[in-house]
Amino acid sequence: MTSIAVAEEVRAALVEGQAVVALESTLLSHGLPPGRNRKVAERLEAVVREAGAVPATIAVLDGQPLVGLNAHQLDRVCDPAAGLVKLSRRDLGPAIALGKNGATTVASTVALADAAGIRVFGTGGLGGVHFPLPSRSASWDVSADLDALADTPVLVVCSGVKSVLDIEATLELLETRSVPVLGYQTDMFPAFYLRESPYSVPWRVDSAEQAADVVVAHQATPGRSGVLLAKPVPIEYEMDRATHDRLLADGIRLLAERGVQGRDVTPVLLEHFHTASEGVSLDANEELVVSNVTLAAQVAVELAKR
C-alpha cells in the first residue's frame, strides 16, 4: 500500500482520540481565484481549530499523498503555477506513480481521510448525477463522489449539490447505495447557492449532537457507507433565485456549446457563475464552505466525546 504522509499534529490528534476534520484541496486549486484561495485555506483551518478540532487539508504533492499540510504546502496548492491536476479517487494511483501534483476532490479526499483514520469531512458541494447533453437521451456522467460515500464510513458535510445536476436522480442513487441523507435544520435538500431544492431530505437533525448520534448509530449497522449531512448556505449569502436561474441557464448552454463533460463541468460552471455574477457567487461559495466546515468540526468534537 502506498504510504500516506500524515502531519504530526494530525497523527497525534488521531492517536489521542481528538477531533479531526478533513478538508479538500480542489476548492483551493480549482474553485477559487489566486490570492483568495490562500486566505480561504487559512480561514477554513482557523474555524476548525476554533471549534476544538484539528484541520487536515489533503492533497498529493510530488506523488506523495499528504494528510495535513504545512504553510509551504498550502502555498503550492494555491499557486496556479504549480499546475495541480484535479484528482478523483481513480486518479490517485497514476498521480502517485508518476510523481504528479494533484488536488483532491470529495471522492479522493474521503478515500485518503478514511485511510488515515479520519471520520469527518467538511466541503462545499457534493458531486452527483449529470443531466444528459442535448445530443444524448441519457447520461452516464455520475460523480465518483457518490460511490465514495457508498463504501467509505466518513461523514460528509456539504451544501447539497449544484443545481446544474439532476438532484432527484442524485438523491435516488444515494438511497440505492444506502447512504443516509440528513438535512441540518432543514427539511429540504440544499442546492448549493440556493438554500432549497424542490426535494425533501429523508431525515432532519437540528444540532451537532443529533448528527453525531446518527453517525454512531449508522456505523453500528451492517455496511460501510458514509453519512451525508446537508447544510444550506447561510441565508444572507443565498443568491437571488432569478439571477441564479439565469446564470444556470446560460451556464448549461455554455457547457453544451463547449462539449464540456465529466470532471471539467464544475470548474467551467463555477468560473461562469463567478464572472457573470460579478463575485456574488464567490462570496456565497466561500461562506457556505466555512459554514459547513464549522459544522463538521462541531460534529467531530461530539464524536470524539463518544
Side-chain angles (χ1 to χ4, degrees), residues 18-297:
Q18 297 178 7
V20 179
V21 176
L23 303 171
E24 63 159 291
S25 46
T26 290
L27 166 72
L28 305 176
S29 65
H30 292 77
L32 295 168
R36 184 162 186 166
N37 56 359
R38 189 63 176 83
K39 292 178 181 177
V40 170
E42 293 176 358
R43 188 179 178 196
L44 293 177
E45 295 206 346
V47 298
V48 171
R49 295 186 191 282
E50 288 167 7
V54 172
T57 304
I58 296 176
V60 175
L61 295 176
D62 303 315
Q64 175 66 66
L66 303 171
V67 176
L69 305 183
N70 59 34
H72 174 66
Q73 291 163 340
L74 278 174
D75 287 342
R76 291 184 64 187
V77 166
C78 294
D79 183 2
L84 271 70
V85 295
K86 189 177 177 182
L87 303 178
S88 187
R89 186 165 61 172
R90 69 166 188 175
D91 303 307
L92 289 174
I96 291 166
L98 300 174
K100 300 297 184 181
N101 297 323
T104 54
T105 63
V106 170
S108 51
T109 302
V110 163
L112 292 173
D114 177 52
I118 301 171
R119 292 289 173 258
V120 180
F121 166 42
T123 187
L126 185 72
V129 179
H130 288 259
F131 286 107
L133 294 173
S135 59
R136 300 181 181 178
S137 59
S139 173
W140 291 97
D141 192 349
V142 180
S143 172
D145 295 355
L146 304 184
D147 267 359
L149 255 175
D151 61 20
T152 314
V154 172
L155 169 69
V156 176
V157 184
C158 69
S159 290
V161 301
K162 296 176 183 64
S163 48
V164 69
L165 299 173
D166 188 332
I167 297 176
E168 183 178 24
T170 299
L171 289 170
E172 182 63 35
L173 186 53
L174 287 169
E175 178 184 1
T176 300
R177 299 305 307 275
S178 300
V179 176
V181 177
L182 316 177
Y184 183 75
Q185 299 180 354
T186 182
D187 297 309
M188 305 304 293
F189 192 70
F192 201 66
Y193 295 128
L194 301 177
R195 288 178 58 82
E196 294 184 355
S197 73
Y199 307 100
S200 61
V201 291
W203 299 97
R204 172 178 175 145
V205 295
D206 290 298
S207 67
E209 293 85 351
Q210 283 188 329
D213 288 341
V214 172
V215 172
V216 171
H218 175 67
Q219 291 179 345
T221 64
R224 274 184 51 84
S225 67
V227 176
L228 181 65
L229 178 58
K231 184 180 191 298
V233 58
I235 190 167
E236 63 270 29
Y237 289 98
E238 181 180 28
M239 287 190 70
D240 172 73
R241 187 172 290 270
T243 301
H244 169 275
D245 291 350
R246 174 177 56 79
L247 295 177
L248 178 59
D250 292 343
I252 291 175
R253 282 194 293 271
L254 182 66
L255 295 175
E257 290 169 0
R258 296 184 182 179
V260 178
Q261 299 182 56
R263 63 184 182 183
D264 295 326
V265 166
T266 298
V268 171
L269 188 65
L270 281 177
E271 178 60 28
H272 167 69
F273 265 79
H274 296 342
T275 302
S277 70
E278 299 182 341
V280 171
S281 68
L282 266 176
D283 292 339
N285 198 358
E286 176 176 343
E287 295 303 327
L288 67 84
V289 173
V290 170
S291 176
N292 296 338
V293 168
T294 300
L295 176 59

